[in-house]
Amino acid sequence: MISLRMLRVSDKTIWCCAFFLIAVGFLAIFSVNFSGDLKNSASAFQFVSRQFSAFLVGLAGLAFFAYLDYKHLKVIAIPFYIIVTLLLIFVLFKGSAVSGAQRWIYLGALSFQPSELTKLSIILVLASFFDFKKERSPIWPIALISGIPFILIFKQPDLGTALVIAAITLGMLIWNKTSGITLTMVLTPIISVIVRPNIFLWIFYIFLLWFILYFSRVNFFDLLVIMGINIGIGIVFPMIWGMLKEYQRLRIISFLNPGIDPHGSGYHTLQSLIAVGSGGIFGKGFLHGTQTQLHFIPEQHSDFIFSAVAEEFGLVGSVIVIAALVIMIRRAFLIADGARDFFGGILVAGASVMIGFHTLVSVGMVLGVMPVVGIPLPYVSFGGTSLIVNMILLGIIQSVAMRRQKLIF
């Protein structure tokens, strides 16, 4: 039932946080493309105009999904997942390449990234699957559902979005209260990937893992599967490393030591840190950031948008932006916890994990505590498809929030 009265029981804090972040995004996008005076800043107006067009589309999507009963999403989950997966396959063969990555589909003047839509499709299809299976969910269908788009996106290559898919899957597994054995099957390979660059540390980890599992009286078959996955990762790790593009390997190396290549792979991080540090407590003021206005930071309008916020609005502005995101994520988890059914809860939980992971990695990249993997800051970074997907997720979150209790007319 469509009624404006439903807005009374929506989460007004989330509305305020989201639209505040979008407004900050417009200011930051204009600033990073500003050319010194308004007459010569056609590029800045063009970027803002494109983002505003995406905002209008996202607003329509937000309204539609907010008033749509979220239970109907079960019907479209599988067809939507199949369509998005086919688009990912199409991108590998016919997609357009930008900056060495084949991620885009162009339809005349319109363009979009299917990988952004994949995040939404994964949340919908996993929520439907978990709702059907509840805590009895086996790991293999989940690995298949998430693994296919993960591999297709990784091949584009788009390591950042592939990691988002993994984070959403892990977060929804935890929310589903999946068994400890299943979580062990998921988490221990992640640790293997982290420690594998040091072969001696990895060998020690494998023996330690076997020791813990063996004396925990884990079922022999489960023990065999867990150890097989971890040992297999150790064997194929050099192959996976070789599949990464040169710039991706350099980014990971530069994350460990940005000074190793200050004019190449470490340039983004070093310049970003300079921008953040120069902002001070209160910032240099809108359109007065030297690193931002002199365009020292590549892709600052998307992946490194937070550096512009930090430089021009300082520590105070940065804390307010981060606080808005944290409050929004916290409120979303509270909605998930209070949802009227399991499907609504895990649906919002998946959306919350995605927004939270984006925030953690995007801010971490700017501060030099995360590798540069190309993840935008939710609702702030430039990117039409990303903004539309985030606004649709906002609509879904509010749909669950507005239906937590019966309306009294």
Side-chain angles (χ1 to χ4, degrees):
M1 181 177 183
I2 298 177
S3 171
L4 291 177
R5 296 184 182 184
M6 294 179 68
L7 290 174
R8 295 179 182 177
V9 291
S10 65
D11 195 298
K12 299 174 184 62
T13 302
I14 289 183
W15 288 127
C16 293
C17 290
F19 285 104
F20 166 74
L21 290 167
I22 292 171
V24 170
F26 280 122
L27 292 175
I29 290 167
F30 183 84
S31 179
V32 299
N33 293 285
F34 187 65
S35 300
D37 63 87
L38 293 176
K39 293 181 180 180
N40 298 317
S41 295
S43 176
F45 287 106
Q46 182 182 11
F47 273 90
V48 171
S49 175
R50 290 169 60 187
Q51 188 77 347
F52 186 73
S53 298
F55 169 73
L56 293 179
V57 176
L59 200 59
L62 185 157
F64 176 79
F65 282 94
Y67 280 107
L68 177 72
D69 190 331
Y70 62 87
K71 288 185 177 180
H72 296 308
L73 296 176
K74 295 179 185 179
V75 178
I76 68 169
I78 294 177
F80 183 55
Y81 173 83
I82 293 172
I83 291 170
V84 171
T85 303
L86 291 174
L87 287 174
L88 290 175
I89 296 172
F90 178 82
V91 165
L92 286 181
F93 296 97
K94 297 291 184 179
S96 299
V98 177
S99 301
Q102 195 163 317
R103 306 173 187 172
W104 295 85
I105 292 178
Y106 283 87
L107 299 173
L110 299 176
S111 62
F112 68 97
Q113 287 182 279
S115 58
E116 291 293 332
L117 299 176
T118 305
K119 302 170 188 176
L120 178 58
S121 73
I122 286 291
I123 292 172
L124 295 181
V125 77
L126 284 181
S128 300
F129 177 79
F130 285 132
D131 183 60
F132 178 70
K133 289 291 186 179
K134 296 298 187 292
E135 60 274 356
R136 302 185 306 277
S137 305
I139 189 63
W140 304 116
I142 299 169
L144 186 64
I145 291 170
S146 299
I148 293 174
F150 179 92
I151 293 171
L152 292 172
I153 292 171
F154 184 81
K155 288 286 290 180
Q156 289 183 2
D158 187 352
L159 179 60
T161 304
L163 291 176
V164 174
I165 299 299
I168 291 172
T169 305
L170 178 59
M172 294 180 76
L173 276 169
I174 294 173
W175 188 268
N176 188 51
K177 298 179 181 178
T178 306
S179 70
I181 291 299
T182 302
L183 287 177
T184 302
M185 289 181 183
V186 175
L187 291 173
T188 54
I190 297 175
I191 300 174
S192 277
V193 171
I194 294 173
V195 302
R196 177 56 182 84
N198 186 322
I199 185 65
F200 298 106
L201 181 61
W202 177 74
I203 292 173
F204 173 76
Y205 165 73
I206 291 297
F207 277 106
L208 179 63
L209 179 63
W210 174 84
F211 180 83
I212 293 173
L213 293 175
Y214 181 80
F215 286 98
S216 298
R217 297 181 180 179
V218 172
N219 178 280
F220 177 76
F221 176 76
D222 292 332
L223 174 63
L224 196 64
V225 170
I226 294 171
M227 295 306 300
I229 293 173
N230 282 272
I231 293 173
I233 284 178
I235 294 172
V236 304
F237 182 84
M239 298 169 56
I240 297 174
W241 181 258
M243 289 172 62
L244 294 174
K245 297 290 185 181
E246 182 66 23
Y247 76 91
Q248 291 177 317
R249 292 197 292 267
L250 288 173
R251 281 180 176 181
I252 295 174
I253 295 171
S254 296
F255 159 66
L256 301 173
N257 181 13
I260 196 170
D261 186 13
H263 300 292
S265 56
Y267 181 80
H268 283 75
T269 302
L270 292 174
Q271 294 300 323
S272 175
L273 288 172
I274 292 172
V276 172
S278 66
I281 302 297
F282 299 104
K284 294 181 176 180
F286 181 56
L287 302 180
H288 289 88
T290 51
Q291 295 293 108
T292 299
Q293 300 306 313
L294 295 175
H295 309 295
F296 278 105
I297 305 173
E299 305 299 328
Q300 192 177 15
H301 61 287
S302 55
D303 301 340
F304 281 81
I305 195 77
F306 187 71
S307 64
V309 174
E311 183 178 32
E312 298 194 343
F313 301 106
L315 177 63
V316 174
S318 301
V319 169
I320 292 174
V321 168
I322 294 175
L325 284 160
V326 171
I327 291 171
M328 184 178 179
I329 295 165
R330 178 179 178 276
R331 294 293 302 177
F333 274 118
L334 290 175
I335 291 170
D337 190 49
R340 69 180 182 184
D341 56 20
F342 179 80
F343 177 68
I346 197 165
L347 195 62
V348 176
S352 306
V353 169
M354 184 193 120
I355 296 171
F357 186 76
H358 267 260
T359 301
L360 177 66
V361 177
S362 184
V363 174
M365 288 192 307
V366 170
L367 299 180
V369 296
M370 290 282 182
V372 179
V373 291
I375 291 182
L377 188 63
Y379 303 101
V380 180
S381 291
F382 175 80
T385 315
S386 175
L387 179 60
I388 292 169
V389 168
N390 281 318
M391 293 186 72
I392 288 174
L393 287 176
L394 178 61
I396 292 173
I397 292 171
Q398 292 290 11
S399 176
V400 177
M402 292 188 292
R403 290 169 176 81
R404 285 179 294 176
Q405 57 185 352
K406 292 183 178 180
L407 293 177
I408 300 175
F409 298 99

